[in-house]
Each structure stands twice: as structure tokens, then as C-alpha cells.
Short mmCIF file of all heavy atoms in Angstrom, two decimals:
data_model
loop_
_atom_site.label_atom_id
_atom_site.label_comp_id
_atom_site.label_asym_id
_atom_site.label_seq_id
_atom_site.Cartn_x
_atom_site.Cartn_y
_atom_site.Cartn_z
N MET R 1 -1.45 6.17 -20.94
CA MET R 1 -2.77 5.74 -20.80
C MET R 1 -3.44 5.64 -22.25
O MET R 1 -3.33 6.62 -22.98
CB MET R 1 -3.58 6.67 -19.88
CG MET R 1 -4.98 6.44 -19.82
SD MET R 1 -5.99 7.51 -18.77
CE MET R 1 -5.05 8.03 -17.43
N SER R 2 -4.03 4.58 -22.52
CA SER R 2 -4.76 4.45 -23.86
C SER R 2 -6.08 5.25 -23.76
O SER R 2 -6.61 5.52 -22.74
CB SER R 2 -5.00 3.04 -24.18
OG SER R 2 -6.16 2.65 -23.55
N ASP R 3 -6.50 5.57 -24.97
CA ASP R 3 -7.67 6.36 -25.09
C ASP R 3 -8.95 5.47 -24.55
O ASP R 3 -9.90 6.12 -23.93
CB ASP R 3 -8.03 6.72 -26.56
CG ASP R 3 -7.11 7.91 -26.93
OD1 ASP R 3 -6.47 8.51 -26.07
OD2 ASP R 3 -7.03 8.09 -28.17
N LEU R 4 -8.81 4.26 -24.50
CA LEU R 4 -9.94 3.44 -24.05
C LEU R 4 -9.99 3.50 -22.50
O LEU R 4 -11.01 3.20 -21.82
CB LEU R 4 -9.72 1.95 -24.43
CG LEU R 4 -9.93 1.72 -25.86
CD1 LEU R 4 -9.63 0.16 -26.26
CD2 LEU R 4 -11.36 2.00 -26.44
N ASN R 5 -8.86 3.80 -21.82
CA ASN R 5 -8.83 3.86 -20.35
C ASN R 5 -9.25 5.23 -19.85
O ASN R 5 -9.26 5.38 -18.63
CB ASN R 5 -7.45 3.39 -19.89
CG ASN R 5 -7.23 1.95 -20.02
OD1 ASN R 5 -8.05 1.15 -20.16
ND2 ASN R 5 -5.98 1.66 -20.33
N ARG R 6 -9.49 6.11 -20.66
CA ARG R 6 -9.67 7.52 -20.15
C ARG R 6 -11.21 7.61 -19.78
O ARG R 6 -12.06 7.16 -20.45
CB ARG R 6 -9.41 8.58 -21.25
CG ARG R 6 -7.90 8.44 -21.60
CD ARG R 6 -7.63 9.39 -22.72
NE ARG R 6 -7.40 10.73 -22.28
CZ ARG R 6 -7.06 11.80 -22.91
NH1 ARG R 6 -6.82 11.65 -24.32
NH2 ARG R 6 -7.03 12.93 -22.47
N ALA R 7 -11.51 8.33 -18.78
CA ALA R 7 -12.75 8.68 -18.34
C ALA R 7 -13.54 9.59 -19.36
O ALA R 7 -12.85 10.45 -19.84
CB ALA R 7 -12.91 9.19 -16.96
N ALA R 8 -14.72 9.38 -19.63
CA ALA R 8 -15.48 10.16 -20.65
C ALA R 8 -15.55 11.59 -20.10
O ALA R 8 -15.94 11.74 -18.92
CB ALA R 8 -16.74 9.61 -20.85
N PRO R 9 -15.20 12.51 -20.88
CA PRO R 9 -15.38 14.02 -20.33
C PRO R 9 -16.78 14.30 -20.25
O PRO R 9 -17.73 13.84 -20.89
CB PRO R 9 -14.68 14.79 -21.37
CG PRO R 9 -14.72 13.91 -22.65
CD PRO R 9 -14.73 12.47 -22.22
N ARG R 10 -17.05 15.28 -19.36
CA ARG R 10 -18.43 15.77 -19.10
C ARG R 10 -18.39 17.36 -19.18
O ARG R 10 -17.52 17.94 -18.46
CB ARG R 10 -18.90 15.29 -17.73
CG ARG R 10 -20.37 15.64 -17.64
CD ARG R 10 -20.91 15.03 -16.20
NE ARG R 10 -22.26 15.46 -16.00
CZ ARG R 10 -23.31 14.68 -16.31
NH1 ARG R 10 -23.24 13.58 -16.84
NH2 ARG R 10 -24.41 15.16 -16.06
N ILE R 11 -19.08 17.95 -19.97
CA ILE R 11 -19.08 19.45 -20.04
C ILE R 11 -20.46 19.90 -19.67
O ILE R 11 -21.49 19.56 -20.14
CB ILE R 11 -18.74 19.78 -21.57
CG1 ILE R 11 -17.37 19.22 -21.98
CG2 ILE R 11 -18.78 21.33 -21.66
CD1 ILE R 11 -16.98 19.45 -23.49
N VAL R 12 -20.35 20.87 -18.74
CA VAL R 12 -21.60 21.49 -18.23
C VAL R 12 -21.53 22.94 -18.43
O VAL R 12 -20.59 23.60 -18.13
CB VAL R 12 -21.65 21.24 -16.68
CG1 VAL R 12 -22.94 21.94 -16.18
CG2 VAL R 12 -21.76 19.75 -16.43
N ALA R 13 -22.52 23.57 -19.12
CA ALA R 13 -22.64 24.95 -19.37
C ALA R 13 -23.35 25.65 -18.13
O ALA R 13 -24.45 25.37 -17.77
CB ALA R 13 -23.55 25.19 -20.58
N CYS R 14 -22.54 26.44 -17.41
CA CYS R 14 -23.08 27.09 -16.27
C CYS R 14 -23.79 28.32 -16.70
O CYS R 14 -23.45 29.07 -17.46
CB CYS R 14 -21.87 27.62 -15.35
SG CYS R 14 -20.91 26.41 -14.75
N PRO R 15 -25.08 28.49 -16.13
CA PRO R 15 -25.88 29.58 -16.45
C PRO R 15 -25.15 30.88 -16.10
O PRO R 15 -24.56 31.02 -15.10
CB PRO R 15 -27.09 29.52 -15.52
CG PRO R 15 -27.17 28.07 -15.18
CD PRO R 15 -25.73 27.56 -15.18
N ASN R 16 -25.04 31.80 -17.08
CA ASN R 16 -24.43 33.08 -16.98
C ASN R 16 -22.89 32.98 -16.61
O ASN R 16 -22.28 33.78 -15.93
CB ASN R 16 -25.08 33.91 -15.92
CG ASN R 16 -26.52 34.12 -16.20
OD1 ASN R 16 -26.96 34.11 -17.34
ND2 ASN R 16 -27.37 34.10 -15.14
N GLY R 17 -22.33 31.80 -17.09
CA GLY R 17 -20.93 31.59 -16.75
C GLY R 17 -20.21 30.62 -17.68
O GLY R 17 -20.54 30.52 -18.77
N PRO R 18 -19.11 30.14 -17.21
CA PRO R 18 -18.23 29.32 -18.03
C PRO R 18 -18.74 27.94 -18.37
O PRO R 18 -19.76 27.53 -17.87
CB PRO R 18 -16.95 29.21 -17.33
CG PRO R 18 -17.48 29.21 -15.83
CD PRO R 18 -18.68 30.13 -15.79
N LEU R 19 -17.98 27.18 -19.19
CA LEU R 19 -18.16 25.78 -19.43
C LEU R 19 -17.37 25.10 -18.45
O LEU R 19 -16.05 25.25 -18.52
CB LEU R 19 -17.87 25.41 -20.83
CG LEU R 19 -18.64 26.08 -21.98
CD1 LEU R 19 -18.12 25.66 -23.30
CD2 LEU R 19 -20.09 25.82 -21.97
N LEU R 20 -17.87 24.24 -17.62
CA LEU R 20 -17.08 23.29 -16.74
C LEU R 20 -16.81 22.03 -17.41
O LEU R 20 -17.77 21.39 -17.99
CB LEU R 20 -17.80 23.11 -15.45
CG LEU R 20 -18.00 24.30 -14.55
CD1 LEU R 20 -18.73 23.78 -13.25
CD2 LEU R 20 -16.75 24.97 -14.23
N VAL R 21 -15.55 21.75 -17.55
CA VAL R 21 -15.17 20.48 -18.18
C VAL R 21 -14.51 19.52 -17.03
O VAL R 21 -13.56 19.90 -16.45
CB VAL R 21 -14.03 20.76 -19.25
CG1 VAL R 21 -13.54 19.39 -19.86
CG2 VAL R 21 -14.56 21.68 -20.28
N ARG R 22 -15.19 18.38 -16.93
CA ARG R 22 -14.59 17.38 -16.04
C ARG R 22 -14.24 16.13 -16.75
O ARG R 22 -14.80 15.81 -17.82
CB ARG R 22 -15.72 17.01 -15.07
CG ARG R 22 -16.15 18.09 -14.06
CD ARG R 22 -17.17 17.57 -13.02
NE ARG R 22 -17.42 18.74 -12.17
CZ ARG R 22 -18.51 19.51 -12.23
NH1 ARG R 22 -19.44 19.38 -13.29
NH2 ARG R 22 -18.80 20.50 -11.46
N GLY R 23 -13.22 15.44 -16.29
CA GLY R 23 -12.72 14.28 -16.97
C GLY R 23 -11.61 14.48 -17.89
O GLY R 23 -11.17 15.59 -17.99
N GLU R 24 -11.16 13.51 -18.57
CA GLU R 24 -10.00 13.51 -19.45
C GLU R 24 -10.40 14.15 -20.77
O GLU R 24 -11.23 13.64 -21.54
CB GLU R 24 -9.39 12.14 -19.71
CG GLU R 24 -8.95 11.53 -18.36
CD GLU R 24 -7.81 12.18 -17.80
OE1 GLU R 24 -6.95 12.78 -18.61
OE2 GLU R 24 -7.55 12.22 -16.65
N LEU R 25 -9.74 15.20 -21.18
CA LEU R 25 -10.09 15.85 -22.46
C LEU R 25 -8.83 16.58 -22.80
O LEU R 25 -8.22 17.43 -22.05
CB LEU R 25 -11.22 16.78 -22.32
CG LEU R 25 -11.67 17.58 -23.63
CD1 LEU R 25 -12.40 16.55 -24.51
CD2 LEU R 25 -12.68 18.63 -23.24
N ASP R 26 -8.29 16.51 -24.03
CA ASP R 26 -7.11 17.26 -24.49
C ASP R 26 -7.59 18.66 -25.01
O ASP R 26 -8.43 18.74 -25.78
CB ASP R 26 -6.34 16.51 -25.63
CG ASP R 26 -5.78 15.16 -25.12
OD1 ASP R 26 -5.44 15.12 -24.03
OD2 ASP R 26 -5.68 14.28 -25.98
N LEU R 27 -6.79 19.66 -24.44
CA LEU R 27 -7.16 21.02 -25.01
C LEU R 27 -6.02 21.36 -25.87
O LEU R 27 -4.89 21.13 -25.61
CB LEU R 27 -7.15 22.03 -23.77
CG LEU R 27 -8.30 21.99 -22.83
CD1 LEU R 27 -8.06 23.04 -21.73
CD2 LEU R 27 -9.66 22.24 -23.59
N VAL R 28 -6.39 21.92 -27.05
CA VAL R 28 -5.36 22.35 -27.96
C VAL R 28 -5.71 23.69 -28.57
O VAL R 28 -6.88 24.15 -28.57
CB VAL R 28 -5.27 21.33 -29.14
CG1 VAL R 28 -4.76 20.00 -28.68
CG2 VAL R 28 -6.50 21.05 -29.94
N THR R 29 -4.70 24.43 -29.05
CA THR R 29 -4.83 25.71 -29.69
C THR R 29 -5.45 25.51 -31.14
O THR R 29 -5.48 24.31 -31.55
CB THR R 29 -3.59 26.39 -29.89
OG1 THR R 29 -2.69 25.66 -30.74
CG2 THR R 29 -2.84 26.69 -28.54
N PRO R 30 -5.90 26.48 -31.76
CA PRO R 30 -6.47 26.20 -33.23
C PRO R 30 -5.42 25.68 -34.10
O PRO R 30 -5.71 24.98 -35.04
CB PRO R 30 -6.77 27.73 -33.61
CG PRO R 30 -7.12 28.41 -32.39
CD PRO R 30 -6.08 27.87 -31.39
N GLU R 31 -4.06 25.84 -33.66
CA GLU R 31 -3.10 25.18 -34.48
C GLU R 31 -2.68 23.77 -34.01
O GLU R 31 -1.88 23.19 -34.73
CB GLU R 31 -1.74 26.08 -34.36
CG GLU R 31 -1.84 27.47 -34.98
CD GLU R 31 -2.65 28.41 -34.14
OE1 GLU R 31 -2.65 28.25 -32.86
OE2 GLU R 31 -3.27 29.38 -34.66
N GLY R 32 -3.37 23.35 -33.06
CA GLY R 32 -3.20 21.95 -32.64
C GLY R 32 -2.18 21.75 -31.52
O GLY R 32 -1.84 20.68 -31.08
N ASP R 33 -1.65 22.89 -31.04
CA ASP R 33 -0.60 22.77 -29.95
C ASP R 33 -1.42 22.49 -28.65
O ASP R 33 -2.38 23.10 -28.33
CB ASP R 33 0.14 24.03 -29.82
CG ASP R 33 0.95 24.35 -31.12
OD1 ASP R 33 1.47 23.36 -31.72
OD2 ASP R 33 1.02 25.48 -31.49
N PRO R 34 -0.80 21.68 -27.76
CA PRO R 34 -1.51 21.31 -26.52
C PRO R 34 -1.53 22.48 -25.56
O PRO R 34 -0.57 23.26 -25.49
CB PRO R 34 -0.66 20.16 -25.90
CG PRO R 34 0.61 20.24 -26.66
CD PRO R 34 0.40 20.80 -27.99
N ILE R 35 -2.61 22.56 -24.83
CA ILE R 35 -2.76 23.63 -23.78
C ILE R 35 -2.80 22.89 -22.41
O ILE R 35 -3.54 21.95 -22.23
CB ILE R 35 -4.02 24.41 -23.88
CG1 ILE R 35 -4.10 25.17 -25.17
CG2 ILE R 35 -4.24 25.33 -22.78
CD1 ILE R 35 -5.40 25.83 -25.46
N GLU R 36 -1.81 23.20 -21.60
CA GLU R 36 -1.65 22.52 -20.25
C GLU R 36 -2.83 22.76 -19.31
O GLU R 36 -3.31 23.80 -19.35
CB GLU R 36 -0.40 23.03 -19.48
CG GLU R 36 -0.19 22.30 -18.31
CD GLU R 36 1.05 22.84 -17.57
OE1 GLU R 36 1.61 23.94 -18.02
OE2 GLU R 36 1.35 22.35 -16.55
N ARG R 37 -3.27 21.60 -18.86
CA ARG R 37 -4.25 21.62 -17.78
C ARG R 37 -3.64 21.35 -16.45
O ARG R 37 -2.91 20.33 -16.29
CB ARG R 37 -5.42 20.49 -18.09
CG ARG R 37 -6.29 20.71 -19.20
CD ARG R 37 -7.25 19.55 -19.36
NE ARG R 37 -7.97 19.28 -18.21
CZ ARG R 37 -9.19 18.53 -18.22
NH1 ARG R 37 -9.46 17.97 -19.29
NH2 ARG R 37 -9.81 18.35 -17.09
N LYS R 38 -4.00 22.18 -15.45
CA LYS R 38 -3.43 22.00 -14.20
C LYS R 38 -4.39 21.27 -13.19
O LYS R 38 -4.01 21.01 -12.15
CB LYS R 38 -2.99 23.30 -13.60
CG LYS R 38 -1.80 23.88 -14.49
CD LYS R 38 -1.31 25.28 -13.94
CE LYS R 38 -0.12 25.66 -14.83
NZ LYS R 38 0.27 27.04 -14.53
N ARG R 39 -5.58 21.22 -13.70
CA ARG R 39 -6.62 20.56 -12.82
C ARG R 39 -7.49 19.55 -13.53
O ARG R 39 -7.57 19.69 -14.79
CB ARG R 39 -7.53 21.67 -12.18
CG ARG R 39 -6.86 22.64 -11.37
CD ARG R 39 -7.77 23.77 -10.93
NE ARG R 39 -7.13 24.77 -10.08
CZ ARG R 39 -7.71 25.77 -9.50
NH1 ARG R 39 -8.87 26.04 -9.79
NH2 ARG R 39 -6.99 26.59 -8.70
N ARG R 40 -8.12 18.65 -12.85
CA ARG R 40 -9.00 17.74 -13.52
C ARG R 40 -10.34 18.37 -14.00
O ARG R 40 -10.85 18.02 -15.09
CB ARG R 40 -9.29 16.60 -12.56
CG ARG R 40 -10.03 15.46 -13.16
CD ARG R 40 -10.15 14.21 -12.27
NE ARG R 40 -11.05 13.34 -12.74
CZ ARG R 40 -10.93 12.51 -13.75
NH1 ARG R 40 -9.84 12.59 -14.50
NH2 ARG R 40 -11.78 11.60 -14.11
N THR R 41 -10.72 19.42 -13.26
CA THR R 41 -11.95 20.10 -13.62
C THR R 41 -11.47 21.54 -13.94
O THR R 41 -10.83 22.15 -13.19
CB THR R 41 -13.01 20.20 -12.44
OG1 THR R 41 -13.38 18.77 -12.18
CG2 THR R 41 -14.21 20.94 -12.97
N ILE R 42 -11.91 21.92 -15.15
CA ILE R 42 -11.51 23.21 -15.57
C ILE R 42 -12.75 24.17 -16.06
O ILE R 42 -13.73 23.55 -16.41
CB ILE R 42 -10.48 23.23 -16.68
CG1 ILE R 42 -11.02 22.43 -17.96
CG2 ILE R 42 -9.17 22.74 -16.23
CD1 ILE R 42 -10.11 22.51 -19.14
N ALA R 43 -12.58 25.35 -16.00
CA ALA R 43 -13.69 26.31 -16.48
C ALA R 43 -13.17 27.03 -17.73
O ALA R 43 -12.21 27.69 -17.67
CB ALA R 43 -14.13 27.21 -15.34
N LEU R 44 -14.01 26.89 -18.83
CA LEU R 44 -13.61 27.48 -20.16
C LEU R 44 -14.48 28.75 -20.26
O LEU R 44 -15.66 28.68 -20.13
CB LEU R 44 -13.76 26.57 -21.21
CG LEU R 44 -12.85 25.27 -21.20
CD1 LEU R 44 -13.09 24.43 -22.39
CD2 LEU R 44 -11.40 25.66 -21.29
N CYS R 45 -13.84 29.83 -20.57
CA CYS R 45 -14.56 31.11 -20.71
C CYS R 45 -15.44 30.96 -21.98
O CYS R 45 -15.05 30.48 -22.99
CB CYS R 45 -13.52 32.24 -20.90
SG CYS R 45 -14.30 33.83 -21.33
N ARG R 46 -16.57 31.45 -21.76
CA ARG R 46 -17.45 31.65 -23.02
C ARG R 46 -18.05 33.07 -23.18
O ARG R 46 -18.88 33.33 -23.93
CB ARG R 46 -18.64 30.68 -23.05
CG ARG R 46 -19.64 30.55 -21.91
CD ARG R 46 -20.65 29.62 -22.28
NE ARG R 46 -21.50 29.46 -21.09
CZ ARG R 46 -22.71 29.14 -21.18
NH1 ARG R 46 -23.25 28.72 -22.27
NH2 ARG R 46 -23.40 28.78 -20.04
N CYS R 47 -17.63 34.03 -22.21
CA CYS R 47 -18.06 35.47 -22.35
C CYS R 47 -17.15 36.18 -23.25
O CYS R 47 -17.47 37.32 -23.77
CB CYS R 47 -18.10 36.01 -20.92
SG CYS R 47 -16.51 36.47 -20.24
N GLY R 48 -15.87 35.81 -23.49
CA GLY R 48 -14.92 36.34 -24.41
C GLY R 48 -14.00 37.26 -23.73
O GLY R 48 -13.19 37.95 -24.43
N VAL R 49 -14.11 37.66 -22.44
CA VAL R 49 -13.28 38.75 -21.92
C VAL R 49 -12.29 38.25 -20.88
O VAL R 49 -11.52 39.11 -20.27
CB VAL R 49 -14.23 39.77 -21.20
CG1 VAL R 49 -15.05 40.46 -22.33
CG2 VAL R 49 -15.04 39.29 -20.08
N SER R 50 -12.12 36.97 -20.54
CA SER R 50 -11.13 36.46 -19.67
C SER R 50 -9.79 36.90 -20.10
O SER R 50 -9.43 36.94 -21.27
CB SER R 50 -11.23 34.94 -19.62
OG SER R 50 -10.20 34.53 -18.74
N SER R 51 -9.00 37.22 -19.07
CA SER R 51 -7.57 37.52 -19.34
C SER R 51 -6.64 36.37 -19.39
O SER R 51 -5.43 36.38 -19.62
CB SER R 51 -7.01 38.57 -18.27
OG SER R 51 -7.07 38.02 -16.98
N ILE R 52 -7.23 35.21 -19.14
CA ILE R 52 -6.45 33.92 -19.11
C ILE R 52 -7.04 32.94 -20.07
O ILE R 52 -7.16 31.61 -19.75
CB ILE R 52 -6.19 33.35 -17.73
CG1 ILE R 52 -7.62 33.11 -17.14
CG2 ILE R 52 -5.38 34.25 -16.87
CD1 ILE R 52 -7.49 32.29 -15.71
N LYS R 53 -7.68 33.38 -21.16
CA LYS R 53 -8.32 32.44 -22.16
C LYS R 53 -7.30 31.26 -22.51
O LYS R 53 -6.12 31.57 -22.65
CB LYS R 53 -8.68 33.26 -23.35
CG LYS R 53 -9.72 34.26 -23.32
CD LYS R 53 -10.13 34.86 -24.47
CE LYS R 53 -10.93 36.08 -24.39
NZ LYS R 53 -10.27 37.38 -24.74
N PRO R 54 -7.84 30.16 -22.65
CA PRO R 54 -9.25 29.80 -22.73
C PRO R 54 -9.95 29.56 -21.44
O PRO R 54 -11.15 29.21 -21.41
CB PRO R 54 -9.28 28.45 -23.61
CG PRO R 54 -7.95 27.79 -23.02
CD PRO R 54 -6.93 28.92 -22.91
N PHE R 55 -9.28 29.78 -20.37
CA PHE R 55 -9.85 29.56 -19.08
C PHE R 55 -10.63 30.81 -18.48
O PHE R 55 -10.30 31.92 -18.86
CB PHE R 55 -8.75 29.15 -18.09
CG PHE R 55 -7.90 28.04 -18.47
CD1 PHE R 55 -6.71 28.16 -18.98
CD2 PHE R 55 -8.47 26.68 -18.54
CE1 PHE R 55 -5.88 27.08 -19.35
CE2 PHE R 55 -7.73 25.65 -18.97
CZ PHE R 55 -6.51 25.77 -19.46
N CYS R 56 -11.63 30.50 -17.70
CA CYS R 56 -12.43 31.59 -17.09
C CYS R 56 -11.65 32.15 -15.91
O CYS R 56 -10.89 31.46 -15.07
CB CYS R 56 -13.73 30.97 -16.62
SG CYS R 56 -14.70 31.98 -15.50
N ASP R 57 -11.61 33.52 -15.76
CA ASP R 57 -11.05 34.12 -14.67
C ASP R 57 -12.10 34.82 -13.80
O ASP R 57 -11.68 35.64 -12.91
CB ASP R 57 -9.98 35.15 -15.15
CG ASP R 57 -10.47 36.31 -15.80
OD1 ASP R 57 -11.79 36.47 -16.04
OD2 ASP R 57 -9.74 37.18 -16.19
N GLY R 58 -13.35 34.61 -13.94
CA GLY R 58 -14.39 35.20 -13.26
C GLY R 58 -14.88 36.54 -13.70
O GLY R 58 -15.90 37.07 -13.03
N THR R 59 -14.33 37.11 -14.61
CA THR R 59 -14.61 38.43 -15.22
C THR R 59 -16.02 38.42 -15.75
O THR R 59 -16.77 39.53 -15.76
CB THR R 59 -13.71 38.96 -16.29
OG1 THR R 59 -12.45 38.87 -15.78
CG2 THR R 59 -14.01 40.34 -16.75
N HIS R 60 -16.65 37.27 -16.06
CA HIS R 60 -18.07 37.27 -16.60
C HIS R 60 -19.03 37.88 -15.53
O HIS R 60 -20.03 38.54 -16.05
CB HIS R 60 -18.38 35.80 -17.00
CG HIS R 60 -18.46 34.91 -15.77
ND1 HIS R 60 -17.25 34.19 -15.52
CD2 HIS R 60 -19.33 34.53 -14.97
CE1 HIS R 60 -17.60 33.42 -14.32
NE2 HIS R 60 -18.78 33.68 -14.05
N LYS R 61 -18.74 37.81 -14.34
CA LYS R 61 -19.55 38.28 -13.24
C LYS R 61 -19.56 39.84 -13.34
O LYS R 61 -20.58 40.52 -13.18
CB LYS R 61 -19.14 37.87 -11.90
CG LYS R 61 -19.42 36.38 -11.65
CD LYS R 61 -18.93 35.93 -10.29
CE LYS R 61 -18.87 34.49 -10.20
NZ LYS R 61 -18.19 33.99 -9.00
N ALA R 62 -18.29 40.39 -13.55
CA ALA R 62 -18.15 41.88 -13.49
C ALA R 62 -18.86 42.54 -14.77
O ALA R 62 -19.24 43.70 -14.57
CB ALA R 62 -16.61 42.20 -13.43
N ILE R 63 -18.92 41.75 -15.78
CA ILE R 63 -19.44 42.40 -17.08
C ILE R 63 -21.00 42.13 -17.17
O ILE R 63 -21.62 42.61 -18.08
CB ILE R 63 -18.76 42.05 -18.31
CG1 ILE R 63 -18.87 40.54 -18.61
CG2 ILE R 63 -17.28 42.46 -18.18
CD1 ILE R 63 -18.47 40.09 -19.98
N GLY R 64 -21.45 41.31 -16.23
CA GLY R 64 -22.86 40.95 -16.35
C GLY R 64 -23.25 40.03 -17.47
O GLY R 64 -24.32 40.11 -18.03
N PHE R 65 -22.30 39.10 -17.87
CA PHE R 65 -22.56 38.16 -18.86
C PHE R 65 -23.80 37.34 -18.57
O PHE R 65 -23.87 36.85 -17.42
CB PHE R 65 -21.28 37.33 -19.10
CG PHE R 65 -21.48 36.16 -20.08
CD1 PHE R 65 -21.55 36.44 -21.39
CD2 PHE R 65 -21.60 34.93 -19.65
CE1 PHE R 65 -21.70 35.40 -22.41
CE2 PHE R 65 -21.65 33.76 -20.60
CZ PHE R 65 -21.71 34.07 -21.87
N THR R 66 -24.70 37.17 -19.56
CA THR R 66 -25.84 36.42 -19.41
C THR R 66 -26.00 35.47 -20.52
O THR R 66 -25.49 35.58 -21.63
CB THR R 66 -27.11 37.13 -19.35
OG1 THR R 66 -27.23 38.01 -20.50
CG2 THR R 66 -27.11 38.16 -18.13
N THR R 67 -26.55 34.27 -20.25
CA THR R 67 -26.83 33.23 -21.24
C THR R 67 -28.46 33.02 -21.35
O THR R 67 -29.08 33.43 -20.40
CB THR R 67 -26.18 31.98 -20.90
OG1 THR R 67 -26.61 31.58 -19.55
CG2 THR R 67 -24.80 32.07 -20.90
N THR R 68 -28.83 32.37 -22.34
CA THR R 68 -30.21 32.04 -22.45
C THR R 68 -30.42 30.65 -22.17
O THR R 68 -29.43 29.83 -22.16
CB THR R 68 -30.69 32.29 -23.89
OG1 THR R 68 -29.94 31.67 -24.84
CG2 THR R 68 -30.62 33.81 -24.20
N GLU R 69 -31.66 30.24 -21.99
CA GLU R 69 -31.92 28.76 -21.57
C GLU R 69 -31.58 27.91 -22.86
O GLU R 69 -31.76 28.19 -23.92
CB GLU R 69 -33.42 28.59 -21.17
CG GLU R 69 -33.79 29.30 -19.93
CD GLU R 69 -33.36 28.52 -18.76
OE1 GLU R 69 -33.34 27.33 -18.73
OE2 GLU R 69 -32.94 29.24 -17.73
S1 FES W 101 -16.93 32.96 -18.61
FE1 FES W 101 -15.86 33.54 -16.98
S2 FES W 101 -14.48 35.08 -17.72
FE2 FES W 101 -15.55 34.44 -19.46
#
């Protein structure tokens, strides 16, 4: 699929939670290696404590992670 045919990604910052990424978007490590996506919509950790980074594992709830408006 060419880049022109890819749906534009949409990123939503969930209050007190992860970043939800919908649509086509390549995830890569800081070294540029691809990170496999298993779902079209993914949740990226922004609290820093997930055991499956870069993905959210729900731990933000247990630690009381909060965000500001
Ligand atoms: S945002 Fe969910 S575990 Fe970090």
C-alpha cells in the first residue's frame, strides 16, 4: 500500500490514561526498528510504568496516574 492510500492516523490523549492511536501509523524503536502492531487501534503508555511498553497495560489506573487539561 502506498503512503497516499493510508488512512490518516488519529491520536487521542485519554484523560488520566494512554494515547489512543487509530489508523495507519508505523511504530518504530528509537533505533528505527519496526514495532509490530497487532490491532488497528492501539493504546500507547504515557505514565511510564507499563510492563509492555510502548503499549499501555492498564497499570496507570493502579498507580493513580493523572493528567492535566
Ligand atoms: S498509560 Fe496505561 S500503563 Fe501507562
Side-chain angles (χ1 to χ4, degrees):
M1 174 185 326
S2 78
D3 285 344
L4 292 176
N5 292 330
R6 299 176 81 175
R10 186 174 176 100
I11 301 174
V12 177
C14 296
N16 307 322
L19 298 174
L20 292 184
V21 179
R22 294 184 176 98
E24 298 292 331
L25 182 74
D26 294 331
L27 289 179
V28 297
T29 66
E31 294 75 30
D33 298 321
I35 297 173
E36 181 184 5
R37 286 178 62 164
K38 296 181 178 171
R39 297 179 178 177
R40 183 166 169 77
T41 299
I42 57 173
L44 298 177
C45 177
R46 63 176 170 156
C47 74
V49 298
S50 172
S51 62
I52 57 170
K53 291 182 196 114
F55 304 105
C56 169
D57 68 358
T59 306
H60 60 270
K61 293 177 190 166
I63 66 166
F65 176 68
T66 59
T67 56
T68 57
E69 293 285 325

